[in-house]
Amino acid sequence: MSIFTIALAIILASQFYWVWRGLSLARQWIPRPGLRRIVVGLSVVVIVALWAYNFGSFRRRTPIHLTLKEALLAAPFLTWAVSSLVGALIALLFAIPQSIVGLARSVMAKRRARAGGAKLASPSRRVFLERTAHVATTAPFLAGAYGLLYGRLNLEITLQPARLPRLPRAFEGFRIAQLSDIHIGPFMPAEQIRKYVEMTNALKPDLIVLTGDFVTTDPSTEDAVVEALSGLAAPFGVFGCLGNHDGWCGVEASITALFRQRGVRILRGEAVPIAIRGESINLIGTDFQSHRSFGPSPAVANLLANIETLIARDRVNILLSHNPDTFDRAAELGVELSMAGHTHGGQAALEFISPEIAPSRLVTPYVAGWFRKPGGQLYVNRGIGTIGVPIRIGAPPEITIYQLFRGQATQPRNSNG
Ligand SMILES: [Fe+2]
């Protein structure tokens, strides 16, 4: 059973709680049974239509612009799906201790009654707890609305110094811009990508890198994403690698060719020298690879075996790898700097509580930011697009600007190494 099927089953199960809540509210607010039946019936029709529309989207072409249908039918539905799941889990968290306390109280009350004592009663406490639970279960909907309308669009430009002991003098202060996880679609339309392209160019990087996931599920969107990114320009060129979604859509060869026509070079197990006044660094790129199977991507036993011979012993090596999990092996191989994406920074991470709380942490320790190990450093870009649900909470979209300096690597705040 896939993760997607399990997630879907849990979301469907959580809907029973909301049906129960909806029926209780309807009984409270609509006393006339006839009117109540009409309202409940109409609500059921709307909900079933929304599920049908959104499930049908898997078979439709992905729009590359934000259409009215997507804005009105897909965005609220998808936000509802995830918010209602979290809300139902919160309700469960309240219900479990309440049930235990309720059971204990009823046992105590029976014992007291048998002993001829007074009744134990605290209805005000129970009402208070119920109201608190109701307020707490609505919080995910507010968070979902925030993530959809603001968090998803609140782009951050991260200025990231990178100190490399062997950096050639000519590269002191060299600037590299990174864009990742574009995921063109109705919630990352072509015009939005072009806006980010303009912003990236305005930052005047020396080199631009793209770390994969240009498309999401629809191969026919490859032309549009390449066209939208084709405005990127930097004196030392634009390079990239492919992500798992590019592989899953089967566009590896075609999108690489399309990019090439637009002057962007996708490195698929390849290396290129970037040279300034006779000194150079070695830029390497690889397709998505993971040590465990990930969706349709098979497990790769020996990570980065395809680039081992490309690593230059006499120069600084920079690796573009969509999956940050290649970092451990890259550091072992002596790749000084890895640039990755893939995690979307967790997409819905409760970073304001703790950076540890992100769904991506279940699959990788490298969710977002800067990491260091003996032999190498890694930066994980949070990407600009979204998958699944078009929300971002605590994981804003990001363009990274690295500035290279010669020097010893400093210990990052979120380092695990
Ligand atoms: Fe992605």
Side-chain angles (χ1 to χ4, degrees):
M1 197 183 278
S2 71
I3 291 175
F4 176 75
T5 317
I6 294 167
L8 190 65
I10 296 172
I11 290 172
L12 278 170
S14 72
Q15 300 308 296
F16 287 105
Y17 168 74
W18 293 102
V19 168
W20 171 76
R21 275 281 292 272
L23 289 173
S24 321
L25 283 178
R27 270 194 291 273
Q28 216 177 313
W29 291 348
I30 315 169
R32 283 171 52 197
L35 183 61
R36 196 161 65 223
R37 272 197 288 276
I38 293 170
V39 171
V40 170
L42 282 175
S43 306
V44 169
V45 169
V46 169
I47 290 167
V48 170
L50 282 173
W51 276 91
Y53 175 82
N54 282 282
F55 263 93
S57 68
F58 288 107
R59 284 186 291 275
R60 284 194 293 275
R61 282 180 79 132
T62 304
I64 55 153
H65 304 288
L66 182 58
T67 61
L68 201 60
K69 268 189 191 171
E70 293 293 315
L72 295 180
L73 301 179
F77 171 83
L78 294 167
T79 309
W80 159 271
V82 74
S83 304
S84 63
L85 168 66
V86 179
L89 291 175
I90 291 173
L92 193 66
L93 283 181
F94 271 89
I96 291 170
Q98 248 180 304
S99 310
I100 294 168
V101 170
L103 196 69
R105 288 182 73 86
S106 78
V107 171
M108 278 167 65
K110 274 179 193 164
R111 275 190 191 167
R112 271 176 168 258
R114 273 202 295 272
K119 265 188 177 179
L120 273 175
S122 62
S124 58
R125 193 173 142 274
R126 189 170 51 81
V127 170
F128 171 76
L129 270 174
E130 269 174 20
R131 285 192 182 150
T132 309
H134 282 182
V135 171
T137 53
T138 55
F141 295 94
L142 297 175
Y146 162 87
L148 172 71
L149 302 171
Y150 180 74
R152 184 174 61 85
L153 304 166
N154 180 29
L155 182 86
E156 267 183 15
I157 293 165
T158 307
L159 302 174
Q160 180 62 58
R163 291 177 216 290
L164 302 165
R166 298 193 303 155
L167 188 77
R169 297 257 176 241
F171 282 84
E172 188 74 12
F174 193 81
R175 284 152 57 86
I176 303 175
Q178 181 189 12
L179 283 166
S180 196
D181 297 80
I182 317 296
H183 292 292
I184 191 170
F187 304 107
M188 180 47 67
E191 47 277 17
Q192 182 83 10
I193 298 171
R194 278 193 280 271
K195 199 175 108 189
Y196 290 156
V197 163
E198 273 174 35
M199 289 171 82
T200 306
N201 288 344
L203 292 163
K204 305 229 172 300
D206 297 299
L207 179 85
I208 297 173
V209 297
L210 307 168
T211 40
D213 272 6
F214 301 102
V215 297
T216 305
T217 54
D218 183 350
S220 75
T221 56
E222 63 174 340
D223 295 272
V225 70
V226 170
E227 194 278 324
L229 288 167
S230 64
L232 287 169
F236 290 84
V238 184
F239 296 87
C241 66
L242 298 178
N244 49 304
H245 282 267
D246 307 314
W248 295 352
C249 286
V251 298
E252 299 106 315
S254 53
I255 205 167
T256 301
L258 286 168
F259 269 125
R260 189 129 208 171
Q261 287 163 18
R262 302 296 188 122
V264 176
R265 174 123 180 239
I266 299 294
L267 302 172
R268 303 192 61 202
E270 294 164 90
V272 286
I274 307 293
I276 303 178
R277 298 187 294 275
E279 294 187 299
S280 72
I281 56 176
N282 190 34
L283 183 68
I284 310 168
T286 179
D287 285 2
F288 178 85
Q289 45 186 305
S290 172
H291 52 77
R292 63 186 141 206
S293 63
F294 188 72
S297 307
V300 173
N302 299 315
L303 288 181
L304 301 183
N306 61 328
I307 60 126
E308 272 186 48
T309 55
L310 304 176
I311 296 167
R313 297 283 149 226
D314 57 340
R315 282 175 292 154
V316 164
N317 297 279
I318 297 178
L319 173 67
L320 309 180
S321 172
H322 182 70
N323 187 359
D325 280 355
T326 56
F327 172 51
D328 294 354
R329 182 64 187 141
E332 277 172 17
L333 291 170
V335 172
E336 286 90 337
L337 179 56
S338 289
M339 295 177 181
H342 185 47
T343 62
H344 301 193
Q347 205 169 306
L350 302 179
E351 233 180 345
F352 49 93
I353 299 172
S354 162
E356 304 294 310
I357 308 174
S360 298
R361 200 159 280 276
L362 297 172
V363 288
T364 179
Y366 307 121
V367 175
W370 191 250
F371 300 87
R372 199 186 82 166
K373 270 181 171 279
Q377 302 174 82
L378 162 74
Y379 189 82
V380 185
N381 174 297
R382 296 185 299 267
I384 57 170
T386 54
I387 52 160
V389 185
I391 64 171
R392 277 183 179 266
I393 301 167
E398 172 184 15
I399 296 171
T400 314
I401 302 287
Y402 302 86
Q403 192 159 21
L404 308 187
F405 296 103
R406 188 185 174 105
Q408 288 307 313
T410 47
Q411 191 68 22
R413 271 181 301 152
N414 60 350
S415 169
N416 75 335

